[in-house]
Amino acid sequence: MTRIDARFAALRAEGRKAFVAYVMAGDPDYDASLEILKGLPGAGVDVIELGLPFTDPMADGPVIQLAGQRALAAGQTLKKTLALVRAFREDDDEAPIVLMGYFNPIMNHGVDAFLHDAKASGVDGLIIVDLPPEEDDELCIPAQEAGLNFIRLATPTTDERRLPKVMQNTSGFVYYVSITGITGAADAVAGEVGPEVDRIRASTELPVVVGFGIKTPEAGREIARVADGAVVGSAIVDLVGQGRPPAEVLEFVRDLADGAHSA
């Protein structure tokens, strides 16, 4: 059982929904990023998604694209991202961490070396948005053999014929993308998301969390009512991009977490 599995089991036993927060590793720089990362569990975050900076983030909107550019300009690398996780683990051995990004940096690092290094650093799972199920042998299956969850995205365009293929090697939880398009492009609507979550639940026993388009505590609460949890990324990253201090970013995260947990 990974930390992700344990966290969702605990939430289920408590009758609570999950709040998942996304931040970009190394944004705006390594030290500030580490301060934010270390503060997330205390702000009520149940699962941390840590973005891997990449030059061509095709699924991300301007806010997260700019965050990746800031991180890269500050010298963030895949190795430094794993170092960030190791530094986090010095004080916290319970909060689940999922690396979210694209396959290219991992391929450059070497898949076997990456999986070894990620596991040793304290990473619990991966979301790699540009690896479809047809490429599971590349990373998904080796990751699960190494003890890491491989979390798959489902979208409004994942139809009944495609859904079983998407679910077959997914573990940890299912990430439902509430809108078509890029991150931060539109608002999630609970009335539209609910039936889609039910459709996915009919194909898996895994928790289904919903992300993309959730920007406020109220929106997080409404989405969490129809799913197993809510993910917020762009709204948090935008505050970092505005130059807000880590304490202010974490205060906003706490408000978001309270919203999701009140569902």
Side-chain angles (χ1 to χ4, degrees):
M1 179 177 284
T2 67
R3 293 183 185 91
I4 298 169
D5 300 325
R7 179 56 53 90
F8 277 102
L11 288 167
R12 189 180 302 112
E14 296 167 7
R16 294 198 305 127
K17 302 300 180 73
F19 178 64
V20 183
Y22 171 99
V23 292
M24 178 65 72
D27 177 34
D29 55 52
Y30 182 93
D31 290 340
S33 179
L34 180 59
E35 184 176 350
I36 292 169
L37 190 66
K38 285 187 172 185
L40 292 176
V45 175
D46 297 298
V47 179
I48 298 168
E49 286 182 8
L50 186 60
L52 290 171
F54 181 50
T55 55
D56 189 22
M58 62 183 182
D60 293 309
V63 170
I64 292 180
Q65 287 184 28
L66 289 170
Q69 291 176 17
R70 289 191 299 269
L72 292 169
Q76 191 70 15
T77 63
L78 177 55
K79 288 183 179 180
K80 282 190 173 181
T81 298
L82 296 179
L84 199 66
V85 177
R86 284 195 301 273
F88 175 87
R89 288 286 175 227
E90 292 174 1
D91 302 314
D92 191 314
D93 195 44
E94 294 185 1
I97 294 182
V98 177
L99 295 185
M100 185 171 185
Y102 300 84
F103 186 49
N104 187 270
I106 294 170
M107 183 175 64
N108 287 342
H109 190 87
V111 169
D112 290 343
F114 167 76
L115 293 175
H116 174 273
D117 294 345
K119 183 69 175 177
S121 298
V123 172
D124 303 294
L126 305 172
I127 301 175
I128 307 301
V129 300
D130 56 348
L131 274 183
E134 287 76 13
E135 306 297 333
D136 275 356
D137 288 341
E138 293 278 353
L139 184 62
C140 172
I141 293 173
Q144 301 204 95
E145 290 174 347
L148 299 172
N149 289 127
F150 197 89
I151 296 135
R152 191 82 68 188
L153 302 177
T155 74
T157 59
T158 306
D159 61 21
E160 297 302 324
R161 184 173 57 182
R162 181 65 173 169
L163 188 58
K165 184 73 172 177
V166 171
M167 293 295 104
Q168 68 182 5
N169 289 318
T170 300
S171 65
F173 60 91
V174 179
Y175 188 133
Y176 178 68
V177 176
S178 65
I179 60 174
T180 55
I182 56 177
T183 56
D187 294 335
V189 179
E192 297 174 0
V193 168
E196 291 297 298
V197 170
D198 290 340
R199 181 170 68 90
I200 295 168
R201 282 174 171 161
S203 297
T204 182
E205 295 182 356
L206 293 171
V208 181
V209 303
V210 176
F212 284 50
I214 303 170
K215 303 172 184 176
T216 66
E218 294 75 22
R221 179 174 60 250
E222 293 305 308
I223 292 297
R225 283 176 176 166
V226 299
D228 296 302
V231 186
V232 178
S234 293
I236 299 169
V237 173
D238 187 44
L239 286 187
V240 178
Q242 293 174 26
R244 306 291 183 89
E248 189 172 335
V249 174
L250 292 169
E251 182 179 351
F252 176 60
V253 171
R254 186 173 291 105
D255 289 341
L256 292 167
D258 288 345
H261 290 150
S262 68

